[in-house]
């Protein structure tokens, strides 16, 4: 218990100049700007310009509310900002309203693209029913007005497949992807490749077609023209094009990232055919192409770890009348004491979606996905710690987070008392979370390091959050950094974070579920054992896995490709040894290895 005298001391401290207030935290804020904030500042000019443009558009709309172009431009700007600089979904309602107003003010012949964009916006915010309605409307309009040769129509079909997959409608999703492939062939190479990469099974004709396309793209730049010159002299006039060039010209201008999806698709196809050497070669090529546009710099996170270790330098001491500011903050005295937040953190492809799905199967817990409301609050927290504001406002930030996450709970889940936040990057924010939300539950999901590395390498991630995922060396570097910061938090806050091995969940679901619910303050409910029957929307790459009962075939799967993964094995060896020792009971009984879905 913190005594009144201590509270008076804290209140007095908030009136002092910044340095005496929290000297180490002022230094901390300045140091953070050299690492984490530096990255944000590089992105800020574009973000600030877009925010300013949105402000101008709002003013123009106020004076000219019947101009559909203004509403459409505002919608697309807010939509783009939500994708590139997410802030917990706060822009989405305004963007949706702007799209709908643009639709209202224009003729139906102009609506196909608007409904396509609206569907994408709603899918990103988890509003899948509204997304499907918008996409189906876009598709119907494309047929009505003969707009099926548009890249927007191709995109609507592809997003329809994604949305149906999020709802667990696998057969319908596959059908939509097939339609997207047919529509995009010869029209839009990026959608064509992405739709192929989204399939789980392939026909022999599809595999042959992908091999044909890959062979065309593999030719050196200019080889297409040289090939034609030789053929012209023998068989054709100079104006003719080869059949291959005619067929695949729509892929020729794709950037390396868009080309990579074709090779991810080939990897999946060869994997299903048990042609493992071909599968690995395609996977390596897909990641090579992705890495060409990657800017991963592990030194940023390494510098951030050093700062965190220097600032959060010891566990907080028990509170007493003479407690220092460090202990007051670290014990969460000025935070918002609400037990409803649940944070699931860790590496991608470690089982985090499975844990979220298990928890959200509980009648009192709602899974809100990865669109966290926490990260946008960190700059405001740093300002408070720098003396710009009252330190008691930390509580207001915690309350704002809780309110923002509660707003994501649909009316159908209004009985939920807890909200699960699965933004994995919050692994780095445990110190902030403990200040702002001292009663929050934190679960870190872990998996055998080599299985995690392989699954990350095999996953065609989309988005800006995984620049390290295209190279085994980079993957291992990121895993070591996440492991280091996680072990630091275990030292600073012993028992604060529940570490849950994926293999334990697979081998002992009931025992693992009991421990997770107890850690989060939730009563036992048998529904968590039937998580695969949960029909909630899943927006991550693991959506297929959480729709079925637990299986053991993903444990130890890295051994199938051990010869290709030596660079990761060498870097991760101490981590592997520790993991296998700590979790031997769940690893030794794994089923015989089979080569199926990663």
């Amino acid at each position: 218990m913190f005594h009144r005298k201590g509270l008076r001391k804290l209140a007095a401290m908030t009136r002092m100049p910044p340095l005496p207030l929290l000297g180490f935290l002022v230094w901390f804020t300045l140091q953070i700007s050299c690492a984490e904030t530096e990255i944000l500042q590089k992105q800020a000019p574009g973000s600030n310009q877009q925010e300013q443009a949105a402000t101008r558009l709002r003013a123009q709309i106020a004076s000219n509310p019947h101009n559909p172009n203004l509403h459409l431009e505002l919608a697309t700007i807010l939509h783009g900002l939500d994708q590139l600089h997410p802030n917990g979904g706060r822009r989405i309602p305004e963007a949706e309203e702007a799209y709908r107003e643009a639709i209202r003010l224009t003729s139906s012949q102009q609506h196909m693209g608007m409904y396509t964009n609206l569907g994408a916006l709603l899918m990103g915010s988890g509003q899948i029913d509204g997304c499907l309605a918008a996409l189906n409307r876009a598709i119907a309009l494309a047929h009505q007005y003969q707009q099926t040769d548009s890249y927007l129509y191709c995109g609507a079909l592809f997003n329809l497949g994604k949305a149906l997959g999020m709802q667990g409608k696998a057969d319908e999703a596959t059908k939509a992807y097939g339609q997207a492939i047919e529509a995009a062939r010869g029209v839009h190479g990026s959608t064509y490749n992405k739709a192929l990469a989204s399939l789980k099974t392939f026909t022999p004709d599809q595999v042959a077609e992908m091999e044909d396309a890959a062979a065309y793209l593999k030719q050196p730049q200019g080889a297409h023209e040289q090939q034609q010159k030789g053929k012209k002299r023998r068989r054709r006039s100079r104006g003719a094009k080869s059949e291959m060039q005619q067929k695949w010209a729509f892929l020729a201008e794709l950037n390396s990232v868009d080309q990579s999806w074709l090779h991810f698709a080939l990897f999946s196809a060869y994997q299903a055919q048990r042609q493992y050497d071909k599968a690995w070669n395609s996977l390596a090529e897909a990641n090579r192409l992705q890495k060409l546009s990657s800017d991963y710099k592990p030194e940023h996170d390494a510098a951030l770890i050093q700062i965190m270790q220097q600032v959060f330098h010891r566990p907080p001491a028990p509170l007493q009348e003479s407690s220092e500011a460090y202990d007051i903050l670290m014990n969460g005295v000025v935070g918002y004491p609400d037990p409803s937040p649940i944070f699931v953190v860790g590496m991608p492809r470690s089982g985090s979606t499975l844990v979220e799905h298990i928890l959200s199967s509980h009648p009192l817990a709602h899974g809100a996905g990865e669109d966290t409301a926490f990260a946008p609050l960190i700059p405001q927290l740093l300002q408070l710690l720098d003396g710009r504001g009252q330190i008691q406002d930390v509580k207001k930030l915690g309350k704002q987070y809780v309110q923002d996450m509660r707003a994501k709970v649909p009316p159908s889940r209004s009985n939920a008392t807890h909200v699960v936040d699965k933004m994995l990057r919050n692994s780095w924010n445990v110190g902030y979370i403990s200040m702002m939300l001292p009663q929050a539950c934190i679960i870190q999901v872990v998996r055998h390091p080599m299985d995690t590395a392989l699954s990350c390498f095999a996953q065609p991630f989309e988005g800006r959050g995984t620049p390290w995922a295209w190279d085994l060396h980079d993957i291992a570097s990121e895993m070591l950094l996440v492991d280091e910061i996680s072990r630091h938090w275990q030292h600073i806050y012993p028992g604060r974070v529940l570490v849950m091995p994926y293999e334990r969940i697979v081998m002992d679901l009931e025992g693992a579920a009991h421990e997770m619910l107890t850690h989060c303050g939730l009563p036992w409910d048998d529904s968590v054992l039937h998580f695969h029957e949960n029909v909630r929307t899943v927006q991550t790459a693991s959506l297929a896995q959480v729709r079925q009962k637990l299986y053991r075939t993903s444990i130890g799967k890295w051994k199938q490709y051990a010869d290709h993964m030596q660079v990761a094995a060498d870097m991760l060896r101490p981590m592997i040894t520790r993991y296998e020792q700590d979790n031997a009971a769940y690893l030794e009984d794994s089923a015989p290895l089979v080569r199926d879905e990663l």
Side-chain angles (χ1 to χ4, degrees):
M1 179 179 179
F2 191 67
H3 298 284
R4 292 178 180 273
K5 184 177 179 181
L7 287 173
R8 287 197 298 271
K9 175 183 176 183
L10 178 60
M13 289 168 60
T14 61
R15 295 190 291 271
M16 297 179 184
L19 189 58
L21 167 62
L22 297 167
F24 83 96
L25 285 169
V26 175
W27 173 83
F28 169 42
T29 305
L30 295 174
Q31 292 298 311
I32 285 290
S33 66
C34 298
E36 189 172 60
T37 307
E38 177 184 353
I39 303 172
L40 298 175
Q41 287 174 342
K42 291 180 180 179
Q43 301 173 342
S47 173
N48 291 339
Q49 290 173 5
Q50 294 293 86
E51 293 284 10
Q52 291 169 6
T55 300
R56 288 195 298 270
L57 283 165
R58 292 185 189 102
Q60 291 174 322
I61 289 171
S63 60
N64 189 7
H66 301 296
N67 185 332
N69 293 329
L70 295 177
H71 292 283
L72 183 59
E73 187 176 358
L74 176 62
T76 54
I77 285 176
L78 294 173
H79 192 171
L81 281 169
D82 183 71
Q83 290 181 317
L84 296 176
H85 306 281
N87 65 347
R90 295 186 184 91
R91 304 183 188 95
I92 289 174
E94 184 181 9
E96 178 184 356
E97 182 181 357
Y99 273 132
R100 294 194 184 281
E101 188 65 9
I103 290 169
R104 188 184 70 82
L105 294 170
T106 51
S107 66
S108 60
Q109 193 167 356
Q110 300 172 277
H111 289 172
M112 192 265 287
M114 298 182 200
Y115 274 114
T116 298
N117 283 357
L118 176 61
L121 175 78
L122 296 175
M123 179 167 56
S125 64
Q127 301 177 62
I128 304 303
D129 289 339
C131 162
L132 290 172
L135 293 175
N136 282 317
R137 179 61 177 155
I139 292 166
L141 288 167
H143 286 282
Q144 180 180 348
Y145 293 108
Q146 290 79 50
Q147 297 171 341
T148 55
D149 59 348
S150 164
Y151 75 94
L152 290 169
Y153 171 69
C154 303
L157 288 169
F158 174 71
N159 282 339
L160 180 66
K162 290 182 66 175
L164 291 168
M166 290 174 184
Q167 287 192 332
K169 300 175 181 177
D171 292 341
E172 294 179 52
T174 298
K175 180 180 178 181
Y177 286 136
Q179 292 171 336
I181 292 166
E182 294 302 316
R185 185 185 293 109
V187 175
H188 197 240
S190 175
T191 301
Y192 174 82
N193 287 347
K194 285 184 177 182
L196 283 167
S198 300
L199 294 177
K200 300 300 181 185
T201 60
F202 301 84
T203 66
D205 287 344
Q206 285 174 327
V207 176
E209 185 173 76
M210 290 190 295
E211 290 175 333
D212 195 15
Y216 173 78
L217 291 175
K218 195 172 182 179
Q219 297 179 56
Q221 189 174 10
H224 310 302
E225 291 79 6
Q226 293 301 321
Q227 183 184 56
Q228 297 319 305
K229 289 180 181 178
K231 290 184 177 181
K232 289 172 192 174
R233 288 192 291 268
R234 295 192 300 271
R235 296 182 297 178
R236 298 184 179 182
S237 68
R238 287 187 172 272
K241 292 183 178 181
S242 71
E243 181 180 345
M244 176 178 277
Q245 189 174 17
Q246 287 178 334
K247 183 176 182 180
W248 299 116
F250 76 105
L251 299 178
E253 301 301 321
L254 293 180
N255 60 35
S256 62
V257 170
D258 286 334
Q259 288 185 31
S260 75
W261 307 120
L262 178 65
H263 297 280
F264 278 117
L266 278 169
F267 162 71
S268 296
Y270 291 142
Q271 178 90 349
Q273 294 177 347
R274 300 180 183 274
Q275 298 188 59
Y276 303 116
D277 289 338
K278 280 188 172 183
W280 186 267
N281 290 338
S282 294
L283 182 59
E285 177 64 8
N287 281 282
R288 184 192 70 80
L289 290 167
Q290 284 277 352
K291 187 174 172 60
L292 293 176
S293 62
S294 172
D295 61 350
Y296 176 61
K297 296 179 180 179
E299 57 268 22
H300 285 301
D301 281 348
L304 183 57
I305 285 179
Q306 291 183 354
I307 294 170
M308 292 290 191
Q309 290 172 339
Q310 293 172 23
V311 173
F312 298 96
H313 59 283
R314 62 170 173 81
L319 291 173
Q320 52 188 336
E321 292 187 13
S322 59
S323 288
E324 299 177 2
Y326 178 91
D327 299 308
I328 293 170
L329 284 164
M330 295 288 283
N331 276 292
V333 172
V334 295
Y336 186 61
D338 190 306
S340 67
I342 300 175
F343 292 89
V344 176
V345 303
M347 281 291 297
R349 312 300 296 156
S350 61
S352 56
T353 300
L354 174 61
V355 167
E356 182 198 25
H357 207 60
I358 291 170
L359 292 172
S360 67
S361 298
H362 193 287
L364 299 181
H366 171 71
E370 297 181 344
D371 190 12
T372 182
F374 191 83
L377 300 177
I378 293 177
Q380 297 177 57
L381 175 63
L382 292 178
Q383 289 180 4
L384 293 176
L385 301 182
D386 194 22
R388 288 174 283 172
Q390 299 296 310
I391 203 65
Q392 290 94 335
D393 289 343
V394 173
K395 183 176 183 178
K396 294 181 181 178
L397 292 179
K399 184 176 181 179
Q400 181 180 335
Y401 169 83
V402 171
Q403 291 174 339
D404 288 345
M405 295 302 288
R406 288 291 309 174
K408 298 177 183 293
V409 179
S412 60
R413 296 299 313 276
S414 59
N415 61 320
T417 57
H418 291 63
V419 181
V420 185
D421 180 337
K422 200 185 75 70
M423 175 53 70
L424 300 181
R425 181 71 183 182
N426 281 325
S427 294
W428 297 83
N429 298 331
V430 170
Y432 301 142
I433 292 170
S434 298
M435 288 181 183
M436 289 171 54
L437 299 159
Q439 296 181 15
C441 170
I442 308 174
I443 299 175
Q444 180 191 4
V445 191
V446 293
R447 185 184 180 189
H448 191 287
M450 292 299 289
D451 278 330
T452 302
L454 174 60
S455 195
C456 286
F457 195 61
Q459 177 58 44
F461 291 105
E462 284 191 79
R464 68 209 166 277
T466 54
W468 43 265
W470 318 118
D471 180 277
L472 286 172
H473 182 279
D474 290 348
I475 291 171
S477 295
E478 181 69 12
M479 291 177 64
L480 290 170
L481 290 168
V482 171
D483 181 63
E484 184 175 357
I485 192 62
S486 299
R487 287 188 290 125
H488 178 67
W489 296 131
Q490 292 288 349
H491 167 67
I492 297 298
Y493 292 108
R496 181 79 169 84
V497 180
L498 174 64
V499 179
M500 179 54 61
Y502 166 77
E503 295 84 0
R504 182 187 173 188
I505 301 172
V506 172
M507 298 295 182
D508 178 23
L509 172 59
E510 185 168 352
H514 265 291
E515 186 170 3
M516 288 190 289
L517 294 182
T518 299
H519 187 68
C520 296
L522 287 166
W524 176 255
D525 193 287
D526 285 344
S527 60
V528 299
L529 301 179
H530 308 287
F531 65 89
H532 54 282
E533 299 173 0
N534 186 349
V535 295
R536 63 178 283 268
T537 296
V538 179
Q539 293 185 283
T540 72
S542 302
L543 61 92
Q545 290 91 323
V546 299
R547 300 293 186 191
Q548 54 190 303
K549 293 181 179 181
L550 288 175
Y551 52 87
R552 300 182 179 186
T553 57
S554 290
I555 298 177
K557 191 162 289 187
W558 68 273
K559 297 175 184 177
Q560 301 166 2
Y561 296 103
D563 292 344
H564 300 284
M565 299 184 66
Q566 195 59 48
V567 61
D570 290 343
M571 293 178 64
L572 297 172
R573 195 162 305 282
M575 187 176 169
I576 293 168
T577 300
R578 174 165 36 90
Y579 191 89
E580 292 181 346
Q581 290 174 346
D582 292 345
N583 300 287
Y586 311 116
L587 295 170
E588 61 186 14
D589 295 327
S590 59
L593 294 177
V594 295
R595 301 175 185 242
D596 54 11
E597 185 178 352
L598 294 175

